[in-house]
Amino acid sequence: MGGFVITGLPDIQTKFEGKVTFYLVLCALIAATGGLMFGYDIGISGGVTSMDDFLLNFFPLVYEKKKRAKEDNFCKYDNHKLQLFTSSLYLAALVSCLFASKMCRGFGRKITIQVSSIFFFIGVILNVGADNLHMLIAGRILLGIGIGFANQAVPLFLSEMAPFHVRGALNILFQLNITIGILVANIVNYYASKIPNGWRLSLGLAGVPALILCVGSFIISETPTSLIERGRHAEGLEALKRVRGTHNVEAEFKEMLHASETARQVERPFMSIFQRTSFPQLVIGASLQFFQQLTGINAIMFYAPVLFETLGFKNNVSLLSAVTIGIVNVLGTIVSLLTVDRIGRKLLLLEGCLQMFLSMAAIGAVLMTNTGLNQALDSDSAKGVVIFTALFVTGFAWSWGPLGWLIPSEIFPLETRTAGYAVAVSSNMLFTFVIAQVYLSMLCRMRAGVFFFFSMWIAVMGVFVAVFLPETKNIPLDEMVTRVWKKHWYWKRYMDDGTRSFKATDILYDAYSY
Ligand code: BGC
């Protein structure tokens, strides 16, 4: 692959050589398995909570309610403890990603990824052996800590390792793993629901991705950026040459050195993200994650089997429909991976909004006109709900799913990157928690209206993207401030005008290359 000439910096013209090497792809594939842990967990909860022997063991009241023939369709799973099973994980992830951000900055991305797999693995052991609700929830909390660490470190790792012109694609490997994790979980649930105590198998297999990540993490390199950030310049230079597969990394190395010199002057990154100059990235990072959850995706992902059962599908049919949705989710993500660095982030997000808006509203309309309190959907309407759900998920899969993680990982300058990204991740976890906790109650109270609620939010986020989101395609990470934020029609007012000097970094580079 050829070199790329970048213009637009005030006093330097940068030439980056952007090879995609085997080692880079290997590192990216291994780190991205962090997404498998997250995805498997998202997919497993809904199926497990609709298995009878799981309910009998831990939630006997829900089991009773489910069996009562005359129970209101929309309300049979409305139980706070059951919702807490799903959502406790996100609460733990929310808090832990703040610690993970400190670890990422102080000790590196690689060790943070390793720690994540260990927490996750211990959580799995507790879950598999659980014989009371406390053990079950304690296990969920450890899984959540693992996920908080992984979701903080993995997308940053991918974005920092990637040459800028394929950054989108490499980063989307994370989301691709999330979707594969969800799909595998749905398939596992489908079979596990047929065997006694199958829920233990479902929860236990979560250990597999954690193991892959833990073992694989010994092969991956630390990101050059993180090494340089921690003062290990010579190692950073070597790592950069290795992942880029060339000795011609001078320009990129200098830019990283410069970014790290600037970052070094910031002593308390968590405070500096609340400064005026960080405001644009903070708003975009946090709101993309907040909006991602308000699409209603997890109303579908966590509860697809429960939702389909609520609509009167039989247990196995509902898991099978969830598997179909899972396949569509993976395929849509692949489309995003192949297109994001060519057509850009904004267009994908806007198209996604349109598609999700229409399909969410259509699901609401079908349910509003069809579902009485106790009867199942007629077969045409049931098919309609599955088709519109699949359309919704495809729209999400090539837009807000991957880009919700990609964009916040690429917009912050180094000095605020780990802290800013932690705010974005915790915003995701917070709203994932809220939706997981209240969705079944919303469904019970608002009924079909809940789908209109989500489509209204989707319209709002479409407008937000059109007006406020700058395009970040093909911009090197360390040039975001100069080439994106300082040029944006609205956000530029928050940026200072200081130009970046490269003199000191020239000297440092010379010192390390000889
Ligand atoms: C979101 C998850 C969601 C998943 C669906 C992710 O990007 O963060 O909340 O369940 O996509 O594929």
Side-chain angles (χ1 to χ4, degrees), residues 99-120:
F99 292 99
S101 106
K102 277 205 157 281
M103 181 171 233
C104 253
R105 185 171 159 104
F107 300 96
R109 307 354 175 189
K110 177 172 162 163
I111 181 106
T112 314
I113 291 177
Q114 280 165 337
V115 169
S116 87
S117 63
I118 292 167
F119 272 117
F120 196 88

Side-chain angles (χ1 to χ4, degrees), residues 410-432:
E410 63 184 11
I411 52 178
F412 288 94
L414 185 58
E415 57 269 32
T416 51
R417 190 170 300 151
T418 52
Y421 193 64
V423 173
V425 178
S426 48
S427 153
N428 183 293
M429 294 300 144
L430 176 66
F431 288 95
T432 308

Side-chain angles (χ1 to χ4, degrees), residues 452-474:
F452 295 113
F453 168 83
F454 287 126
S455 51
M456 179 211 78
W457 275 105
I458 294 168
V460 171
M461 59 191 84
V463 174
F464 178 85
V465 166
V467 179
F468 290 114
L469 186 80
E471 179 57 64
T472 45
K473 166 187 84 164
N474 283 345

Side-chain angles (χ1 to χ4, degrees), residues 247-267:
H247 286 275
N248 185 16
V249 292
E250 178 177 346
E252 193 173 2
F253 184 67
K254 277 182 184 169
E255 203 165 79
M256 287 179 178
L257 277 176
H258 176 68
S260 96
E261 284 310 306
T262 314
R264 210 181 290 282
Q265 285 151 24
V266 176
E267 275 170 13

